[in-house]
Amino acid sequence: MAFVASDPGRTAPAPDAATAKILVAGGFGVGKTTLVGTVSETEPLRTEELITEASVGVDDLAGVERKTTTTVAMDFGRITLSSALVVYLFGAPGQDRFWFMWDDLSRGSLGAVVLADARRLEGCFPSVDFFEHRGIPFAVGVNCFDGRCEEDPEEIRAALDLAPDVPLVLCDARDRESVKTVLLALLEHVMRGLAAEAGRGPV
């Protein structure tokens, strides 16, 4: 099944349109809030607070020294991908101390996007492990800061030890069309998995 992303205002969802929940996860300062806000066709819900001295020694700001706010609960946005499908995005907080929320946020999700910073890949290891261990399908979006990514995608795939079928897409979290590409890669990955399960039938 192919998905075609619609433009807000052009294709309104049908009254009986299906809905899907997608979690957006990744390390601290990787761009999750930006991604949700970029693609959401409604004003996104954000729970950001200023970073204060209380976070010194708790949150690792290496590589994101200019970051001044942090998500303390979740981000929420919505995008209509077709007249038959509306996707709700839930951005999870990236700091270690908020990981207890991930189980609740991921409950009922169709899949997840793991956003990665190629300069700090270790920040997304916990997200990859989380979804692998729970059997939740996911795609990796490598956020190309400054609009470029000099790393080889295959080297990133090897570093993350991803299964061959897990999509890995270079993207720019500030660009709507680029973010759509990641979401569509995830949805097609989910559909392939469901088709494979249906083909196997009852055991």
Side-chain angles (χ1 to χ4, degrees):
M1 176 181 180
F3 293 95
V4 178
S6 63
D7 290 327
R10 291 189 178 182
T11 304
D16 59 347
T19 60
K21 175 182 178 182
I22 291 177
L23 195 64
V24 180
F28 178 63
V30 77
K32 299 181 295 296
T33 296
T34 299
L35 183 148
V36 173
T38 294
V39 80
S40 179
E41 61 199 21
T42 60
E43 185 66 27
L45 168 68
R46 292 179 173 142
T47 57
E48 288 197 304
E49 295 292 342
L50 289 173
I51 295 175
T52 67
E53 292 183 0
S55 69
V56 175
V58 178
D59 297 325
D60 183 5
L61 293 175
V64 287
E65 291 84 1
R66 290 181 294 177
K67 186 173 175 61
T68 59
T69 62
T70 184
T71 299
V72 296
M74 69 173 187
D75 300 307
F76 175 78
R78 186 193 76 192
I79 178 173
T80 302
L81 287 179
S82 74
S83 60
L85 179 63
V86 177
V87 171
Y88 294 101
L89 300 171
F90 290 77
Q95 303 98 310
D96 298 8
R97 66 183 185 278
F98 292 126
W99 283 349
F100 70 91
M101 299 174 59
W102 285 26
D103 278 317
D104 287 336
L105 286 175
S106 64
R107 190 169 294 118
S109 62
L110 183 69
V113 169
V114 174
L115 197 59
D117 180 348
R119 305 166 302 179
R120 301 179 294 125
L121 281 180
E122 67 280 359
C124 72
F125 290 169
S127 302
V128 170
D129 289 342
F130 179 88
F131 297 118
E132 284 182 342
H133 291 160
R134 286 160 179 77
I136 298 174
F138 66 96
V140 174
V142 181
N143 192 8
C144 298
F145 288 82
D146 300 321
R148 65 180 185 274
C149 184
E150 299 176 356
E151 288 75 8
D152 184 340
E154 289 308 311
E155 291 182 0
I156 296 174
R157 176 179 291 278
L160 296 178
D161 195 23
L162 298 177
D165 63 322
V166 174
L168 186 146
V169 182
L170 300 182
C171 68
D172 185 338
R174 303 165 301 176
D175 182 83
R176 181 177 173 81
E177 294 304 317
S178 182
V179 173
K180 284 182 184 178
T181 301
V182 180
L183 295 177
L184 294 173
L186 169 63
L187 291 171
E188 289 171 357
H189 175 51
V190 170
M191 295 304 296
R192 285 193 296 271
L194 292 175
E197 288 184 8
R200 286 195 292 268
V203 178

